[in-house]
Each structure stands twice: as C-alpha cells, then as structure tokens.
Amino acid sequence: MKFKFLIALLLLSGYLKAQNLNIIPQPRLIVNGSGQISINNHSAIGISDTSLTALAIYFQKELFKAKGLSPAINNGDSKSTIKLVLTNTNQVIGGYSLKITPEQITISSSNKEGVFYGLISLLQLIKDHPKEADNLTLASTDATDVRDYQNVVLACTEIIDAPRYQWRGLMLDESRHFFGKQKVKQILDWMAYYKLNKFHWHLTDVQGWRIEIKKYPRLASIGGVGDYSDTSAEAIPMFYTQNDIKEVVNYAAQRFITVIPEIDMPGHATAANKAYPEYSGGSVAGYPNFTFNPAKEETYQYLANVIKETTALFPSKMMHLGGDEVVLGIKAWSLDTAIARMMQNKGFEDVGMLERYFFKRMTDTVTSLGSKILAWDEATQTDLPAGKTIIFWWRQNLPGQLSLALQKNYQVVLCPRLPLYLDFLQDGSHISGRNWKGVFNRYTDIYNFPDRQLAADQLTSNQIIGVQANIWTEKIASEKRLDFMLFPRIAGLAEAGWTAPEVKNEAAFTERVQAGLKNWDAADIYYFNPFNPQAHPEAIDFAPVIRKVPIAEKHSRHHKAHSKATKKGKKASAKFHRSTLKSKSTKNKTHKKRK
Ligand code: TNX
C-alpha cells in the first residue's frame, strides 16, 4: 500500500520518468539521477562489515569475468567507489537499495541477501554497458598501462527494490536424465543472476536414483544405472556422491540459493525398487514396481534411514517427499494379499486411506528430524501439520487442490503445469515437448503469472509463499535442449517471483529480455530466441509422439507417426531410435496416460 502511494506521488510530481535500465527482474522503484560515475582498476569495494567479504569477492570475480576489472576490497573504507553497507533497519529479506551518484555507488540492506541482490543488479547494469563505451582510448587519457584505461561508466540512478515472494524456485529432474555437477552449477549461476533462491532437486524417480545413501549403497550403484533414454543394465550408474551433494549445496549457498532434495514416495519408486526389490509394492501393467510396500514395517524403517541420511546433507531443513501420482501404480496394492490383510486390520476402506497412512508416517519422520515437509498437491488430502507443511500446487486443472491447501493452512508454492512446466512447448512452431490442449508455456505467460490466473483473495494470501518452474526431463537429454527449454523462460520466472505487479509491463519486459540476449550469447547458451526463432532452431532430443489420433486411424498410426517423426527429428534420431527400440510400449503409454 505504502509503495503504491509512493509511486502515485512520484508520478504526480513528474519525478518518475520512464526507465529503461536493463535489469531482470524489474526492480520496484527506479529514480533517474544526473551525472555519471566510472569504475576502473583504481576503484575499490568498501565493506561496512567483514561478514560481507564473501559477497565482495563474488562481485569482484564476476566483474573480472565481465569486464576484466578487479577492484580491491577495502574493509571499512567508506570512501571506496563501491560501498556495501549492512544497515540496522528492518528490511524484507532480499530487499536493498542501490544508489549511484557521481561520487559513489552505495548498496545497502539490513540483510546479506539484500546486499547480494544489490550487487547482482549492479553487475547487470555493468554487463549491459556497451563494449564500445567501455574503454577510454589512450589518446583521451594520459594512461601508459593498459589496465589504466579499462573503464565502465554508469549513469546515476537510485533503485529501491524488494522481492514479491520469498520462494523463487526452480526444480530440475535429474532422474529421467542426469546432467551432473557442472551443469547444475551453471544453472545455479543463472539462478543467482535472476535472483532465484530455491533449487528443488528431483533426485529419485522411475528412471534413476541419483543420490548416494551409505546405508543402502545399491540405491545409487544399481538404482543409478540408466535413464529415460537408456535402460540397459550395462550402463554405468549416474549419481551424486555425498561429497558432490555437499559441494553443490555450498556452491548454491554462496549464491543465497537453498537446495531442497526430493525423495519421491510412495510412488515413482521404480529405481529404488530395482536396487532393493524387497520393499516394492508390486507391479501393474505399465507401472512395474512403481510404489514402495506399505504393508511391511521394514519399508518404513528403510525409508526413515534414507530420509535421515539425506536430511543430514542439506542444511535447508526442508525435505520434499513427492507423494505425486501414486494412483498410477496403486492398483498393485489391491492385488497383494499382505496389503489387503493390513488394510483389513487397520479398517482402511480403500487404498487411498492406506496411501495417506503411509505418507503421514513418513512425514512424521521428517518433522521428528526438525525439517519441514514439502510435497506435491496430492498430499493435501493427508492431514499434515499446518505450519510445517509446504504444498506444491502443480495441477492447474484441479484448482480445488489449491483452495483445500489454503483452507488447511498449509503454505503453498505455485508451480502449475500451465505455465510453469518447462518440459512443455514454448512456441507454436515447436514440435517436441508436452502441451495441454494446444496451450503453450511461453516466457511471457510465465512473466504474467500468477496475476491473471488466481483469484484475488488467493493473490493476497500470505500462505502463498512463491512460485516455481519445474524442468521435467523425460524429453530433455542434452544440455543444449535443457538450455533451450530454460532460456528465455528463466527470465519470465524471475519476474513472476520478484517483480511487484504494480510495475509489471510486458512490452518493457520483452525489451529487457531482448537486450539481455547478448549475455546468453557470451555464455554460449543455446536459448530459444522469441525475436528471431530461426536464430536457434528447436533443439530436439526425441522426435515427438504424435497424439490425438482418432481411434479408427489408430491402426495405421504407428507407421505414419514413426516416419513423420523420423523426418522431423533428424538431429535426435540416434537417441530416438534407441529409446523407441528399447521401450516401445511403456514409455509412450506412460506419457499418454498422464495427459
Ligand atoms: C507429472 S509433476 C509429474 C512428473 C512428470 C511430469 C511431466 C509431478 C508431481 N509429476 O513425474 O515428469 O508430469 O510433465
């Protein structure tokens, strides 16, 4: 409210001019100044507090990478060109101010997150600075050393900024395809660049178990074998050792990103069950060993041990237990006599009650370790402790799930398939990826989320703690395609999570995205270019599955679809053939059923 009033006042007084600072996400308030300041190798970074040293070093490295400048860090020097100040005010986490005057650049916040994001905004301004204007010519200075005429000139301005949501998340599925530490670190770098702060790591699913558990080594060594493209038993296991996990968690923490592990249960458990079949809940057609066995006491002990080891690796004190789509394999439970006996003993009328019993027990383990329970929106049906539960609303076709979660006083992260699933198509000209009745997830759809999609009372609910995009990787096997599906949508996500609705303006946003393409080019990112789609043709790892064929034509479908797909998906043909040959029926069936 206060903020709206301030904007109105500034508009009235003619003080607020149209701004074109290329910062993503768009800050709350930008006020033009006059004059300019120059950053060069004689500049220094002064910090008000030694706890800011790591942030100054981070900035120093990034500035060196971007412009070859390396200002010194001066503890306590208030006259430095760039001054970082930790204040005693009571600012929202991540909020900051960045003031550029002819004398000094000052970034201040009451919290380190805020100082970090102020530095990120400054870095974005510096990177936006045109190369031609960077260097003074030797003639225009009396410099004799090349380092003396490297220079970045910034226009004076004042930015007052704060995030809309505290949860600005990205989920990566590394079960279906494994990308490894280097790629994950690169994603974390870009997340930091766009002020995203939660990395949800989907580490277990049908196609692979990707985290080392010392008590149960076969989870990784056997469960980690293969992926969506390659189900052969000869493949080498792909997983993160506990040391790898710690390294990634630290790397993220330096960027103010919290990492949350997901161990999916009781469904999506196939890879775990491959390693320890004694805990499998049985099979049904299309979903072999999809669930854990709820009738064995040992299953609960086993999973509690897995949760304990996992929890110890992640300081976030948040454990995502999945809980999604159990329905796909739950029929196996009704076919098992031991499970039937247990249900009778406990007076459970249907397998759904048993599912909730299972989930409640495992979430009790999570809370007993002092962690919060995170789960997909199916878990809303289970009675979980309000205040310790965060629900991830993913099924936009079931708005009742969101209402119920709010009614039960759970916190909610919004990640509806439309528009936040990044395995979905992002442009009408693309052929590989999911879509929902012809609706695409464009970067601008993500940008406009959630204001057009949610009811007014939901938008203002403080139980909604933020937004998250999910990259499911059934059809993403290569880094190139991963980039293509993530960029430019990551920019839309940044603004959905950060930018105040009052300052949103789609046309201005797309201009800022366009201005930022040069940064992705410089980093060799294979992004989708909405301004020139031909610049980077669609990156396809799998030829598309052709759907929606009338029953009568089904017979001839396979042949046609195959030849069409092969023609269109030349680049991906090797992988396509491999996966088609190996898993003909199950994969395609899985995909169709989910629709
Ligand atoms: C649904 S979202 C799933 C995932 C799939 C995704 C594909 C969710 C909780 N479950 O297992 O990968 O759809 O879009």
Side-chain angles (χ1 to χ4, degrees):
M1 242 5 247
K2 236 185 78 238
F3 172 67
K4 270 189 201 159
F5 180 71
L6 186 63
I7 296 258
L9 206 70
L10 290 168
L11 281 170
L12 276 176
S13 65
Y15 191 53
L16 191 70
K17 294 178 216 145
Q19 287 293 329
N20 212 8
L21 292 185
N22 288 320
I23 295 177
I24 292 176
Q26 172 70 27
R28 284 216 167 193
L29 182 63
I30 299 174
V31 180
N32 274 336
S34 55
Q36 57 185 42
I37 188 170
S38 141
I39 306 174
N40 53 46
N41 268 320
H42 301 293
S43 308
I45 308 171
I47 49 177
S48 73
D49 191 303
T50 48
S51 70
L52 297 175
T53 309
L55 281 70
I57 293 174
Y58 184 86
F59 178 75
Q60 196 185 35
K61 282 190 189 149
E62 291 297 313
L63 184 58
F64 186 75
K65 270 194 262 166
K67 299 286 177 185
L69 293 173
S70 191
I73 298 169
N74 289 341
N75 200 352
D77 179 2
S78 61
K79 294 217 172 59
S80 309
T81 309
I82 300 168
K83 191 172 79 170
L84 310 184
V85 189
L86 214 44
T87 61
N88 289 323
T89 52
N90 200 8
Q91 219 157 0
V92 64
I93 299 289
Y96 67 92
S97 79
L98 163 61
K99 192 169 182 175
I100 305 180
T101 69
E103 292 76 40
Q104 198 164 45
I105 299 172
T106 313
I107 293 172
S108 55
S109 174
S110 66
N111 50 80
K112 284 205 273 178
E113 284 86 342
V115 175
F116 182 72
Y117 293 139
L119 282 169
I120 293 287
S121 292
L122 177 59
L123 185 66
Q124 290 199 7
L125 290 178
I126 291 171
K127 281 192 155 195
D128 190 50
H129 199 260
K131 196 120 202 117
E132 319 74 79
D134 275 357
N135 296 335
L136 301 171
T137 57
L138 271 175
S140 71
T141 69
D142 45 15
T144 46
D145 185 329
V146 73
R147 281 165 310 170
D148 284 345
Y149 63 90
Q150 279 170 322
N151 197 54
V152 175
V153 178
L154 294 179
C156 292
T157 189
E158 182 167 5
I159 295 174
I160 298 170
D161 201 6
R164 175 181 190 177
Y165 291 118
Q166 286 298 329
W167 190 289
R168 303 178 300 278
L170 185 69
M171 188 219 77
L172 177 66
D173 166 11
E174 287 214 82
S175 172
R176 274 57 178 265
H177 286 103
F178 184 80
F179 297 93
K181 247 184 339 193
Q182 283 322 88
K183 190 64 187 171
V184 166
K185 285 183 178 175
Q186 191 198 28
I187 291 174
L188 291 167
D189 287 343
W190 284 108
M191 283 181 69
Y193 194 71
Y194 292 119
K195 304 188 175 104
L196 299 171
N197 67 348
K198 299 284 187 281
F199 179 61
H200 170 174
W201 214 355
H202 188 77
L203 289 165
T204 73
D205 211 301
V206 171
Q207 289 78 7
W209 181 282
R210 309 296 182 203
I211 171 173
E212 175 190 28
I213 302 293
K214 297 217 168 84
K215 202 171 172 79
Y216 305 104
R218 292 206 300 278
L219 280 173
S221 66
I222 293 177
V225 172
D227 58 19
Y228 194 95
S229 308
D230 184 357
T231 50
S232 67
E234 302 81 53
I236 49 154
M238 289 169 284
F239 63 91
Y240 292 104
T241 64
Q242 297 202 349
N243 280 338
D244 290 335
I245 300 264
K246 285 181 198 156
E247 185 182 326
V248 169
V249 166
N250 282 335
Y251 190 88
Q254 286 163 9
R255 289 153 182 75
F256 293 91
I257 297 169
T258 306
V259 185
I260 298 102
E262 180 183 350
I263 307 285
D264 207 344
M265 62 182 73
H268 290 269
T270 320
N273 289 334
K274 188 165 71 170
Y276 293 93
E278 57 271 42
Y279 304 116
S280 168
S283 297
V284 278
Y287 297 94
N289 299 305
F290 188 73
T291 58
F292 288 114
N293 190 326
K296 284 189 178 167
E297 211 33 49
E298 298 81 359
T299 307
Y300 297 94
Q301 196 47 54
Y302 159 66
L303 291 175
N305 290 334
V306 169
I307 291 172
K308 268 181 217 152
E309 256 192 57
T310 306
T311 301
L313 295 171
F314 294 86
S316 58
K317 287 273 173 192
M318 287 189 270
M319 182 74 216
H320 201 302
L321 282 193
D324 58 314
E325 299 184 319
V326 187
V327 67
L328 298 175
I330 209 166
K331 225 173 143 216
W333 288 3
S334 35
L335 305 173
D336 183 294
T337 48
I339 298 180
R341 212 176 315 122
M342 173 194 187
M343 284 180 56
Q344 212 172 16
N345 289 342
K346 298 231 177 247
F348 294 159
E349 285 150 22
D350 54 44
V351 282
M353 283 176 82
L354 178 55
E355 177 187 342
R356 293 191 285 281
Y357 167 86
F358 176 99
F359 208 67
K360 180 77 176 77
R361 277 192 68 174
M362 298 322 306
T363 54
D364 284 347
T365 302
V366 170
T367 50
S368 75
L369 296 166
S371 292
K372 275 203 171 184
I373 305 157
L374 279 65
W376 301 110
D377 68 48
E378 284 88 338
T380 304
Q381 261 66 30
T382 306
D383 279 321
L384 301 172
K388 292 182 186 167
T389 302
I390 306 178
I391 294 293
F392 288 66
W393 180 58
W394 67 281
R395 294 178 295 180
Q396 87 292 327
N397 53 323
L398 299 179
Q401 290 297 103
L402 172 60
S403 318
L404 183 61
L406 294 172
Q407 200 184 312
K408 285 185 146 183
N409 283 319
Y410 299 143
Q411 290 187 311
V412 176
V413 171
L414 305 168
C415 54
R417 269 182 291 221
L418 300 181
L420 287 167
Y421 271 27
L422 303 191
D423 55 331
F424 279 54
L425 297 172
Q426 59 183 318
D427 187 75
S429 68
H430 294 164
I431 55 166
S432 179
R434 298 189 72 195
N435 76 73
W436 190 279
K437 299 179 182 125
V439 180
F440 308 120
N441 290 342
R442 300 181 171 88
Y443 78 114
T444 46
D445 297 326
I446 297 178
Y447 169 79
N448 285 312
F449 186 79
D451 303 285
R452 296 177 189 176
Q453 214 162 311
L454 258 58
D457 58 330
Q458 293 175 333
L459 284 171
T460 50
S461 164
N462 56 15
Q463 285 166 251
I464 292 185
I465 57 172
V467 299
Q468 178 172 296
N470 298 332
I471 319 174
W472 300 103
T473 59
E474 287 95 332
K475 300 298 162 85
I476 304 175
S478 65
E479 292 190 17
K480 181 177 174 184
R481 180 163 165 80
L482 186 61
D483 286 351
F484 190 79
M485 299 305 265
L486 183 55
F487 297 84
R489 292 189 284 192
I490 191 171
L493 176 65
E495 307 236 343
W498 182 282
T499 304
E502 295 88 350
V503 295
K504 276 197 173 181
N505 173 333
E506 187 180 317
F509 165 67
T510 57
E511 272 178 32
R512 280 180 288 115
V513 170
Q514 192 159 20
L517 298 181
K518 59 180 179 290
N519 294 321
W520 299 338
D521 285 325
D524 254 333
I525 298 285
Y526 194 83
Y527 56 90
F528 168 57
N529 185 340
F531 312 98
N532 178 12
Q534 287 77 37
H536 293 154
E538 183 181 10
I540 301 174
D541 289 342
F542 296 86
V545 178
I546 309 296
R547 296 196 197 87
K548 295 218 176 100
V549 176
I551 308 272
E553 290 173 33
K554 245 190 173 170
H555 192 63
S556 60
R557 191 191 71 145
H558 182 76
H559 175 74
K560 268 195 210 152
H562 186 271
S563 51
K564 188 171 177 192
T566 316
K567 252 184 251 158
K568 282 194 169 175
K570 269 189 192 137
K571 285 206 180 79
S573 54
K575 219 148 218 167
F576 173 62
H577 286 306
R578 216 160 26 118
S579 67
T580 321
L581 292 176
K582 263 178 206 146
S583 57
K584 242 183 269 165
S585 55
T586 38
K587 274 175 196 167
N588 291 345
K589 232 185 258 159
T590 310
H591 221 75
K592 256 183 280 159
K593 272 194 191 152
R594 280 205 196 107
K595 285 290 294 178

